[in-house]
Amino acid sequence: AVYGASGCGRSVMPVLREQFSDVDKSAFVFIDDAPPANFLNGHEILTWNSFLELSGRACSAALAIANSVIRERLFWRCLDSGVRIQSVTASSVVVMDEVEIDSGALLSPYVTITSNIKIGKAFHANLYSYVEHDCVIGDFVTFAPSVKCNGNVRVEDHVYIGAGAVIKQGTPEKPLVIGRGAVVGMGAVVTKSVPPGVTVVGNPARILRRG
């Protein structure tokens, strides 16, 4: 199943089908707590309770929920109910050496994860994003399309990085840190560490507001 029938979920579903190309299309469903219809893009939309009733034929879920706080809540809901957290990786994704990725990652087409990288739970990396060497990415982090995260960067839990943002490379002795819950605006160029809970925008990125 893909949990979430919004744009994010509709983008994930074809990648999930590709990943399990030997499985009949009818086995793939959407989960939505307030279903907008009975079917979407040829797939049945189920409520959470209806999905659980189908545990004999469907027992994993990809969390296609953009809001990281809700994504975390659903992550634990699935595990508590015996539903496996499904990772999704497009065939065009490049993953190099010594990369550790926790469960639930959604890696869209043309994402690149280079070498010596650790990534936490339920990471979302949208189209054409990359993570360079020696980065540590926390839990429930979201990269919008074309995020450029260069080497020796630490991205803490629940960070959102907007489309086209560029994160300057840190050093082994002094990694650049994006603090927990920070938001990096679309197209921002981050040249120094970002405090937790703030929103930064512009080139160079500056604090727009505090959380």
PDB file of all heavy atoms in Angstrom, residues 129-155:
ATOM      1  N   SER A 129      17.296  14.910  -6.428  1.00  0.00           N
ATOM      2  CA  SER A 129      18.038  15.316  -5.233  1.00  0.00           C
ATOM      3  C   SER A 129      19.303  14.478  -5.096  1.00  0.00           C
ATOM      4  O   SER A 129      19.377  13.360  -5.595  1.00  0.00           O
ATOM      5  CB  SER A 129      17.187  15.130  -3.980  1.00  0.00           C
ATOM      6  OG  SER A 129      16.108  16.031  -3.968  1.00  0.00           O
ATOM      7  N   TYR A 130      20.292  15.038  -4.381  1.00  0.00           N
ATOM      8  CA  TYR A 130      21.448  14.212  -4.058  1.00  0.00           C
ATOM      9  C   TYR A 130      21.940  14.488  -2.645  1.00  0.00           C
ATOM     10  O   TYR A 130      21.742  15.563  -2.091  1.00  0.00           O
ATOM     11  CB  TYR A 130      22.586  14.368  -5.081  1.00  0.00           C
ATOM     12  CG  TYR A 130      23.355  15.670  -5.098  1.00  0.00           C
ATOM     13  CD1 TYR A 130      24.231  16.032  -4.063  1.00  0.00           C
ATOM     14  CD2 TYR A 130      23.266  16.528  -6.189  1.00  0.00           C
ATOM     15  CE1 TYR A 130      24.975  17.196  -4.107  1.00  0.00           C
ATOM     16  CE2 TYR A 130      23.998  17.705  -6.253  1.00  0.00           C
ATOM     17  CZ  TYR A 130      24.856  18.025  -5.207  1.00  0.00           C
ATOM     18  OH  TYR A 130      25.589  19.191  -5.252  1.00  0.00           O
ATOM     19  N   VAL A 131      22.589  13.452  -2.086  1.00  0.00           N
ATOM     20  CA  VAL A 131      23.268  13.541  -0.794  1.00  0.00           C
ATOM     21  C   VAL A 131      24.711  13.120  -1.039  1.00  0.00           C
ATOM     22  O   VAL A 131      24.975  12.007  -1.495  1.00  0.00           O
ATOM     23  CB  VAL A 131      22.633  12.628   0.266  1.00  0.00           C
ATOM     24  CG1 VAL A 131      23.358  12.783   1.604  1.00  0.00           C
ATOM     25  CG2 VAL A 131      21.148  12.927   0.423  1.00  0.00           C
ATOM     26  N   GLU A 132      25.645  14.030  -0.744  1.00  0.00           N
ATOM     27  CA  GLU A 132      27.053  13.743  -0.997  1.00  0.00           C
ATOM     28  C   GLU A 132      27.697  13.050   0.204  1.00  0.00           C
ATOM     29  O   GLU A 132      27.072  12.810   1.227  1.00  0.00           O
ATOM     30  CB  GLU A 132      27.795  15.030  -1.374  1.00  0.00           C
ATOM     31  CG  GLU A 132      27.981  15.222  -2.879  1.00  0.00           C
ATOM     32  CD  GLU A 132      28.991  14.229  -3.446  1.00  0.00           C
ATOM     33  OE1 GLU A 132      29.509  13.353  -2.708  1.00  0.00           O
ATOM     34  OE2 GLU A 132      29.269  14.325  -4.655  1.00  0.00           O
ATOM     35  N   HIS A 133      28.981  12.760   0.070  1.00  0.00           N
ATOM     36  CA  HIS A 133      29.732  11.928   0.995  1.00  0.00           C
ATOM     37  C   HIS A 133      29.718  12.442   2.440  1.00  0.00           C
ATOM     38  O   HIS A 133      29.637  13.628   2.707  1.00  0.00           O
ATOM     39  CB  HIS A 133      31.198  11.833   0.528  1.00  0.00           C
ATOM     40  CG  HIS A 133      31.899  13.169   0.544  1.00  0.00           C
ATOM     41  ND1 HIS A 133      32.532  13.677   1.644  1.00  0.00           N
ATOM     42  CD2 HIS A 133      32.024  14.112  -0.427  1.00  0.00           C
ATOM     43  CE1 HIS A 133      33.041  14.863   1.375  1.00  0.00           C
ATOM     44  NE2 HIS A 133      32.744  15.160   0.126  1.00  0.00           N
ATOM     45  N   ASP A 134      29.774  11.504   3.368  1.00  0.00           N
ATOM     46  CA  ASP A 134      29.976  11.798   4.795  1.00  0.00           C
ATOM     47  C   ASP A 134      28.886  12.672   5.397  1.00  0.00           C
ATOM     48  O   ASP A 134      29.147  13.480   6.287  1.00  0.00           O
ATOM     49  CB  ASP A 134      31.349  12.444   5.015  1.00  0.00           C
ATOM     50  CG  ASP A 134      32.481  11.546   4.557  1.00  0.00           C
ATOM     51  OD1 ASP A 134      32.626  10.457   5.138  1.00  0.00           O
ATOM     52  OD2 ASP A 134      33.203  11.912   3.605  1.00  0.00           O
ATOM     53  N   CYS A 135      27.667  12.487   4.922  1.00  0.00           N
ATOM     54  CA  CYS A 135      26.517  13.186   5.516  1.00  0.00           C
ATOM     55  C   CYS A 135      25.775  12.255   6.468  1.00  0.00           C
ATOM     56  O   CYS A 135      25.793  11.036   6.304  1.00  0.00           O
ATOM     57  CB  CYS A 135      25.555  13.656   4.422  1.00  0.00           C
ATOM     58  SG  CYS A 135      26.136  15.085   3.486  1.00  0.00           S
ATOM     59  N   VAL A 136      25.127  12.864   7.454  1.00  0.00           N
ATOM     60  CA  VAL A 136      24.236  12.145   8.358  1.00  0.00           C
ATOM     61  C   VAL A 136      22.882  12.831   8.292  1.00  0.00           C
ATOM     62  O   VAL A 136      22.769  14.031   8.580  1.00  0.00           O
ATOM     63  CB  VAL A 136      24.767  12.138   9.807  1.00  0.00           C
ATOM     64  CG1 VAL A 136      23.778  11.445  10.732  1.00  0.00           C
ATOM     65  CG2 VAL A 136      26.128  11.465   9.876  1.00  0.00           C
ATOM     66  N   ILE A 137      21.865  12.076   7.896  1.00  0.00           N
ATOM     67  CA  ILE A 137      20.501  12.593   7.752  1.00  0.00           C
ATOM     68  C   ILE A 137      19.653  11.948   8.840  1.00  0.00           C
ATOM     69  O   ILE A 137      19.653  10.717   8.992  1.00  0.00           O
ATOM     70  CB  ILE A 137      19.910  12.246   6.367  1.00  0.00           C
ATOM     71  CG1 ILE A 137      20.869  12.648   5.238  1.00  0.00           C
ATOM     72  CG2 ILE A 137      18.543  12.892   6.192  1.00  0.00           C
ATOM     73  CD1 ILE A 137      21.093  14.111   5.081  1.00  0.00           C
ATOM     74  N   GLY A 138      18.904  12.749   9.583  1.00  0.00           N
ATOM     75  CA  GLY A 138      18.102  12.233  10.688  1.00  0.00           C
ATOM     76  C   GLY A 138      16.820  11.561  10.245  1.00  0.00           C
ATOM     77  O   GLY A 138      16.618  11.214   9.078  1.00  0.00           O
ATOM     78  N   ASP A 139      15.912  11.397  11.190  1.00  0.00           N
ATOM     79  CA  ASP A 139      14.623  10.744  10.948  1.00  0.00           C
ATOM     80  C   ASP A 139      13.599  11.738  10.406  1.00  0.00           C
ATOM     81  O   ASP A 139      13.581  12.905  10.794  1.00  0.00           O
ATOM     82  CB  ASP A 139      14.082  10.157  12.250  1.00  0.00           C
ATOM     83  CG  ASP A 139      14.964   9.060  12.830  1.00  0.00           C
ATOM     84  OD1 ASP A 139      15.698   8.410  12.055  1.00  0.00           O
ATOM     85  OD2 ASP A 139      14.911   8.860  14.063  1.00  0.00           O
ATOM     86  N   PHE A 140      12.755  11.248   9.492  1.00  0.00           N
ATOM     87  CA  PHE A 140      11.591  11.986   8.987  1.00  0.00           C
ATOM     88  C   PHE A 140      11.998  13.316   8.328  1.00  0.00           C
ATOM     89  O   PHE A 140      11.355  14.347   8.507  1.00  0.00           O
ATOM     90  CB  PHE A 140      10.559  12.198  10.100  1.00  0.00           C
ATOM     91  CG  PHE A 140      10.230  10.913  10.817  1.00  0.00           C
ATOM     92  CD1 PHE A 140      10.710  10.673  12.093  1.00  0.00           C
ATOM     93  CD2 PHE A 140       9.501   9.927  10.189  1.00  0.00           C
ATOM     94  CE1 PHE A 140      10.454   9.467  12.750  1.00  0.00           C
ATOM     95  CE2 PHE A 140       9.233   8.710  10.829  1.00  0.00           C
ATOM     96  CZ  PHE A 140       9.707   8.493  12.112  1.00  0.00           C
ATOM     97  N   VAL A 141      13.057  13.249   7.556  1.00  0.00           N
ATOM     98  CA  VAL A 141      13.565  14.404   6.815  1.00  0.00           C
ATOM     99  C   VAL A 141      13.004  14.365   5.398  1.00  0.00           C
ATOM    100  O   VAL A 141      12.840  13.292   4.811  1.00  0.00           O
ATOM    101  CB  VAL A 141      15.108  14.383   6.783  1.00  0.00           C
ATOM    102  CG1 VAL A 141      15.671  15.416   5.812  1.00  0.00           C
ATOM    103  CG2 VAL A 141      15.649  14.619   8.190  1.00  0.00           C
ATOM    104  N   THR A 142      12.722  15.546   4.846  1.00  0.00           N
ATOM    105  CA  THR A 142      12.190  15.655   3.488  1.00  0.00           C
ATOM    106  C   THR A 142      13.085  16.536   2.633  1.00  0.00           C
ATOM    107  O   THR A 142      13.382  17.672   3.008  1.00  0.00           O
ATOM    108  CB  THR A 142      10.773  16.256   3.491  1.00  0.00           C
ATOM    109  OG1 THR A 142       9.918  15.454   4.304  1.00  0.00           O
ATOM    110  CG2 THR A 142      10.206  16.342   2.082  1.00  0.00           C
ATOM    111  N   PHE A 143      13.502  16.010   1.486  1.00  0.00           N
ATOM    112  CA  PHE A 143      14.159  16.786   0.445  1.00  0.00           C
ATOM    113  C   PHE A 143      13.175  16.944  -0.704  1.00  0.00           C
ATOM    114  O   PHE A 143      12.732  15.955  -1.299  1.00  0.00           O
ATOM    115  CB  PHE A 143      15.406  16.069  -0.090  1.00  0.00           C
ATOM    116  CG  PHE A 143      16.628  16.145   0.775  1.00  0.00           C
ATOM    117  CD1 PHE A 143      16.563  16.574   2.098  1.00  0.00           C
ATOM    118  CD2 PHE A 143      17.854  15.771   0.270  1.00  0.00           C
ATOM    119  CE1 PHE A 143      17.701  16.634   2.897  1.00  0.00           C
ATOM    120  CE2 PHE A 143      19.008  15.825   1.046  1.00  0.00           C
ATOM    121  CZ  PHE A 143      18.935  16.258   2.361  1.00  0.00           C
ATOM    122  N   ALA A 144      12.810  18.179  -1.039  1.00  0.00           N
ATOM    123  CA  ALA A 144      12.008  18.456  -2.223  1.00  0.00           C
ATOM    124  C   ALA A 144      12.865  18.217  -3.483  1.00  0.00           C
ATOM    125  O   ALA A 144      14.066  17.923  -3.379  1.00  0.00           O
ATOM    126  CB  ALA A 144      11.485  19.886  -2.166  1.00  0.00           C
ATOM    127  N   PRO A 145      12.289  18.334  -4.686  1.00  0.00           N
ATOM    128  CA  PRO A 145      13.081  18.071  -5.885  1.00  0.00           C
ATOM    129  C   PRO A 145      14.334  18.939  -5.994  1.00  0.00           C
ATOM    130  O   PRO A 145      14.342  20.109  -5.619  1.00  0.00           O
ATOM    131  CB  PRO A 145      12.107  18.381  -7.023  1.00  0.00           C
ATOM    132  CG  PRO A 145      10.761  18.074  -6.443  1.00  0.00           C
ATOM    133  CD  PRO A 145      10.857  18.525  -5.019  1.00  0.00           C
ATOM    134  N   SER A 146      15.395  18.308  -6.490  1.00  0.00           N
ATOM    135  CA  SER A 146      16.653  18.977  -6.855  1.00  0.00           C
ATOM    136  C   SER A 146      17.375  19.614  -5.676  1.00  0.00           C
ATOM    137  O   SER A 146      18.081  20.618  -5.847  1.00  0.00           O
ATOM    138  CB  SER A 146      16.414  20.020  -7.957  1.00  0.00           C
ATOM    139  OG  SER A 146      15.955  19.393  -9.141  1.00  0.00           O
ATOM    140  N   VAL A 147      17.225  19.048  -4.489  1.00  0.00           N
ATOM    141  CA  VAL A 147      18.026  19.506  -3.350  1.00  0.00           C
ATOM    142  C   VAL A 147      19.457  19.006  -3.530  1.00  0.00           C
ATOM    143  O   VAL A 147      19.688  17.846  -3.866  1.00  0.00           O
ATOM    144  CB  VAL A 147      17.439  18.991  -2.020  1.00  0.00           C
ATOM    145  CG1 VAL A 147      18.421  19.194  -0.867  1.00  0.00           C
ATOM    146  CG2 VAL A 147      16.129  19.697  -1.720  1.00  0.00           C
ATOM    147  N   LYS A 148      20.401  19.895  -3.267  1.00  0.00           N
ATOM    148  CA  LYS A 148      21.825  19.555  -3.403  1.00  0.00           C
ATOM    149  C   LYS A 148      22.464  19.634  -2.016  1.00  0.00           C
ATOM    150  O   LYS A 148      22.758  20.718  -1.519  1.00  0.00           O
ATOM    151  CB  LYS A 148      22.496  20.517  -4.382  1.00  0.00           C
ATOM    152  CG  LYS A 148      21.919  20.449  -5.791  1.00  0.00           C
ATOM    153  CD  LYS A 148      22.487  21.530  -6.684  1.00  0.00           C
ATOM    154  CE  LYS A 148      21.996  21.382  -8.116  1.00  0.00           C
ATOM    155  NZ  LYS A 148      20.523  21.494  -8.218  1.00  0.00           N
ATOM    156  N   CYS A 149      22.630  18.475  -1.409  1.00  0.00           N
ATOM    157  CA  CYS A 149      23.217  18.393  -0.069  1.00  0.00           C
ATOM    158  C   CYS A 149      24.650  17.910  -0.211  1.00  0.00           C
ATOM    159  O   CYS A 149      24.895  16.734  -0.507  1.00  0.00           O
ATOM    160  CB  CYS A 149      22.400  17.436   0.794  1.00  0.00           C
ATOM    161  SG  CYS A 149      22.985  17.302   2.491  1.00  0.00           S
ATOM    162  N   ASN A 150      25.591  18.812  -0.043  1.00  0.00           N
ATOM    163  CA  ASN A 150      26.989  18.479  -0.268  1.00  0.00           C
ATOM    164  C   ASN A 150      27.615  17.810   0.959  1.00  0.00           C
ATOM    165  O   ASN A 150      26.945  17.582   1.967  1.00  0.00           O
ATOM    166  CB  ASN A 150      27.737  19.727  -0.721  1.00  0.00           C
ATOM    167  CG  ASN A 150      27.300  20.136  -2.115  1.00  0.00           C
ATOM    168  OD1 ASN A 150      27.557  19.448  -3.086  1.00  0.00           O
ATOM    169  ND2 ASN A 150      26.589  21.261  -2.216  1.00  0.00           N
ATOM    170  N   GLY A 151      28.889  17.462   0.886  1.00  0.00           N
ATOM    171  CA  GLY A 151      29.505  16.579   1.853  1.00  0.00           C
ATOM    172  C   GLY A 151      29.656  17.162   3.242  1.00  0.00           C
ATOM    173  O   GLY A 151      29.665  18.376   3.446  1.00  0.00           O
ATOM    174  N   ASN A 152      29.757  16.263   4.226  1.00  0.00           N
ATOM    175  CA  ASN A 152      29.975  16.644   5.630  1.00  0.00           C
ATOM    176  C   ASN A 152      28.898  17.594   6.163  1.00  0.00           C
ATOM    177  O   ASN A 152      29.175  18.645   6.735  1.00  0.00           O
ATOM    178  CB  ASN A 152      31.365  17.255   5.805  1.00  0.00           C
ATOM    179  CG  ASN A 152      32.465  16.222   5.667  1.00  0.00           C
ATOM    180  OD1 ASN A 152      32.560  15.287   6.459  1.00  0.00           O
ATOM    181  ND2 ASN A 152      33.290  16.376   4.641  1.00  0.00           N
ATOM    182  N   VAL A 153      27.652  17.203   5.927  1.00  0.00           N
ATOM    183  CA  VAL A 153      26.491  17.945   6.421  1.00  0.00           C
ATOM    184  C   VAL A 153      25.716  17.037   7.373  1.00  0.00           C
ATOM    185  O   VAL A 153      25.593  15.831   7.140  1.00  0.00           O
ATOM    186  CB  VAL A 153      25.588  18.413   5.260  1.00  0.00           C
ATOM    187  CG1 VAL A 153      24.277  18.994   5.790  1.00  0.00           C
ATOM    188  CG2 VAL A 153      26.316  19.436   4.390  1.00  0.00           C
ATOM    189  N   ARG A 154      25.201  17.615   8.460  1.00  0.00           N
ATOM    190  CA  ARG A 154      24.336  16.907   9.394  1.00  0.00           C
ATOM    191  C   ARG A 154      22.949  17.540   9.322  1.00  0.00           C
ATOM    192  O   ARG A 154      22.792  18.740   9.597  1.00  0.00           O
ATOM    193  CB  ARG A 154      24.861  17.014  10.832  1.00  0.00           C
ATOM    194  CG  ARG A 154      26.302  16.538  11.004  1.00  0.00           C
ATOM    195  CD  ARG A 154      26.428  15.033  10.889  1.00  0.00           C
ATOM    196  NE  ARG A 154      27.795  14.596  11.130  1.00  0.00           N
ATOM    197  CZ  ARG A 154      28.694  14.391  10.174  1.00  0.00           C
ATOM    198  NH1 ARG A 154      28.382  14.609   8.904  1.00  0.00           N
ATOM    199  NH2 ARG A 154      29.912  13.974  10.469  1.00  0.00           N
ATOM    200  N   VAL A 155      21.974  16.743   8.935  1.00  0.00           N
ATOM    201  CA  VAL A 155      20.584  17.204   8.849  1.00  0.00           C
ATOM    202  C   VAL A 155      19.814  16.501   9.952  1.00  0.00           C
ATOM    203  O   VAL A 155      19.671  15.273   9.923  1.00  0.00           O
ATOM    204  CB  VAL A 155      19.973  16.903   7.467  1.00  0.00           C
ATOM    205  CG1 VAL A 155      18.535  17.408   7.404  1.00  0.00           C
ATOM    206  CG2 VAL A 155      20.813  17.528   6.355  1.00  0.00           C
TER     207      VAL A 155
END
